[in-house]
Amino acid sequence: ATVSSGQISLSIERPALYIVAAPIGNLADISYRAVKLLAQVDLLLVEDKRVTQRLLQHYSITTRLAAIHEHNEADFSADIISRIVSERLAVALLSDAGTPLIADPGFRLVRSAHAEKIPVLSVPGPCAAIAALSIAGLPSDRFVFEGFLPARKAARLRCLKFLNVEHRTLIFFEAPHRILATLEDMISVFGNEREVAVAREITKL
């Protein structure tokens, strides 16, 4: 199906799985293509329906939702992939914020789609790790994304010691209540000469 709006047309493949980047704060940060696509696909797979509903209501999108998260992804993926094939559905996967699969669910779903020869298509947009790197003032020509460090101190220290020989810029996600403890552990492992930048609420609501 091809949906036209003014001079911009949007072609939607069926069957297909779309990986759609969602805003990381400001609802206006979503792409024009993503808004149009979310309104036209058959089903949206989301982490938390309440979070995604705020985005959908803002753009008057009424597409059906189904929840996919770390606790049900393994079982849910086979069922939804079967439906995409048999019903020739266009399905979009969204995280609560940012690009799906980046420290978020979706890997098993995407692998299953590839295994069944279902087209997997990217609708790129916000990614907190890249947005933070772009404003940090740290070298950005070579970097490593490490996601979340372990919550427990001993395991966190082991991970940091493993990374101590890494010279590329390191990017981590961390929970607000662990920021101080994590920075203290970084100093104890990396020393106090290595530069660090901390970013939060990169795009305000």
Side-chain angles (χ1 to χ4, degrees):
T2 300
V3 181
S4 180
S5 177
Q7 296 180 336
I8 297 176
S9 62
L10 175 67
S11 180
I12 298 177
E13 290 193 34
R14 286 181 171 83
L17 175 63
Y18 288 88
I19 309 303
V20 183
I24 57 174
N26 192 313
L27 294 180
D29 287 341
I30 194 168
S31 73
Y32 183 88
R33 176 186 172 210
V35 171
K36 289 294 181 185
L37 184 131
L38 294 180
Q40 297 295 328
V41 295
D42 304 301
L43 180 66
L44 304 180
L45 304 180
V46 303
E47 279 186 273
D48 186 326
K49 291 182 181 181
R50 295 164 300 179
V51 172
T52 303
Q53 274 297 358
R54 290 197 290 270
L55 173 68
L56 300 184
Q57 287 170 1
H58 183 79
Y59 288 103
S60 302
I61 296 169
T62 57
T63 307
R64 287 186 303 130
L65 302 180
I68 183 169
H69 43 72
E70 61 180 336
H71 303 297
N72 75 349
E73 183 183 358
D75 296 328
F76 185 70
S77 293
D79 177 60
I80 195 64
I81 291 299
S82 175
R83 287 187 57 201
I84 290 173
V85 172
S86 63
E87 301 174 36
R88 296 190 63 78
L89 300 179
V91 173
L93 173 69
L94 292 89
S95 296
D96 287 347
T99 300
L101 280 76
I102 309 302
D104 275 327
F107 170 72
R108 292 184 182 90
L109 182 68
V110 169
R111 290 273 290 201
S112 299
H114 283 302
E116 293 298 323
K117 304 294 191 290
I118 296 170
V120 180
L121 307 167
S122 173
V123 183
C127 174
I130 299 303
L133 177 65
S134 72
I135 61 174
L138 299 175
S140 57
D141 53 334
R142 299 171 70 238
F143 59 90
V144 180
F145 175 65
E146 286 291 323
F148 284 95
L149 286 165
R152 294 184 181 277
K153 184 180 182 70
R156 185 166 61 238
L157 286 169
R158 281 196 300 272
C159 284
L160 291 173
K161 287 173 183 174
F162 178 79
L163 293 167
N164 196 27
V165 296
E166 179 59 69
H167 295 291
R168 291 171 292 184
T169 296
L170 299 166
I171 304 174
F172 301 94
F173 285 164
E174 187 54 281
H177 63 279
R178 283 198 296 267
I179 289 285
L180 185 58
T182 294
L183 289 173
E184 289 172 345
D185 287 345
M186 287 178 173
I187 291 170
S188 73
V189 174
F190 298 150
N192 58 9
E193 296 300 314
R194 188 156 184 169
E195 291 183 294
V196 64
V198 179
R200 67 184 292 266
E201 296 184 40
I202 300 167
T203 68
K204 291 277 193 176
L205 291 171

